[in-house]
Amino acid sequence: VRDKIETIGSGSTRVGFPLSIAGLKISGTDISAPLRLDAGDSTWKALGNQSSPMYGLWIIQLPSNYSATPTLRVGVTAASNPGGNLVISVDVQKNSDADGADIDTPSYDSLNTVGNTIPATAGTLEVIDIPLTNFDNATTPGDTLKVRIQRDADATADTLTGDIEFRSAAFLYDRN
């Protein structure tokens, strides 16, 4: 894990690192219905349909300069039938060195959910920030996080009738 790839604003203490779409885990006990990975025409994308929630998972280790205020930033496009509101949910499981918890046993905190209007043109990128406020705030550098993302197609507020494509992702945080 790189400690710092992006600095947001001059002299900012807000930094982040990219998460690979191709590196999404899409099977296992944490994933009841997987996002579909596609190498696409030019970039990797994770596809989520409009009929049911579909999941993907990143496993990350917090860098040595992690302090607080984690946010998942995702780039999303509509694959078809664009225009409407998209609901994305993210939940997080924290595991620490010698905490006695089995990392392979799902134990996620409450969902972090945002709704966002998607442009009316298919393929137009929309960047969405999802503050990760619902997880153990005793998190420290070196902790391992399982970050699970889904299109929350069951949410009433999700009115986008077509499929979506997760195109990019980054984990942002305040550094110490």
Side-chain angles (χ1 to χ4, degrees):
V1 174
R2 290 182 173 169
D3 280 345
K4 181 173 126 182
I5 293 174
E6 175 183 351
T7 300
I8 303 168
S10 177
S12 174
T13 59
R14 191 93 174 130
V15 295
F17 53 86
L19 299 172
S20 169
I21 295 298
L24 268 172
K25 181 171 174 36
I26 57 170
S27 65
T29 57
D30 297 274
I31 310 295
S32 57
L35 292 166
R36 295 180 324 276
L37 290 180
D38 181 352
D41 296 326
S42 62
T43 63
W44 279 93
K45 52 190 169 187
L47 309 171
N49 69 36
Q50 76 279 12
S51 59
S52 62
M54 298 173 76
Y55 301 87
L57 174 73
W58 288 284
I59 300 173
I60 63 174
Q61 186 174 31
L62 292 176
S64 60
N65 66 352
Y66 175 82
S67 176
T69 324
T71 300
L72 183 65
R73 175 174 287 168
V74 294
V76 179
T77 58
S80 59
N81 301 321
N85 195 54
L86 169 67
V87 177
I88 298 173
S89 295
V90 176
D91 50 359
V92 178
Q93 174 178 326
K94 179 193 85 151
N95 290 87
S96 299
D97 185 31
D99 68 3
D102 182 349
I103 195 168
D104 293 323
T105 302
S107 179
Y108 290 90
D109 289 313
S110 302
L111 287 173
N112 303 274
T113 301
V114 293
N116 215 73
T117 302
I118 298 301
T121 303
T124 301
L125 187 68
E126 182 71 15
V127 176
I128 302 169
D129 283 351
I130 305 146
L132 303 178
T133 56
N134 294 335
F135 82 101
D136 186 347
N137 56 7
T139 302
T140 59
D143 287 348
T144 297
L145 302 182
K146 291 167 57 174
V147 180
R148 185 171 58 177
I149 189 167
Q150 67 167 307
R151 176 191 179 171
D152 199 350
D154 288 342
T156 305
D158 190 318
T159 60
L160 189 67
T161 59
D163 295 349
I164 59 110
E165 304 162 328
F166 290 105
R167 299 295 195 118
S168 62
F171 185 84
L172 308 177
Y173 60 94
D174 292 338
R175 66 176 171 86
N176 51 23

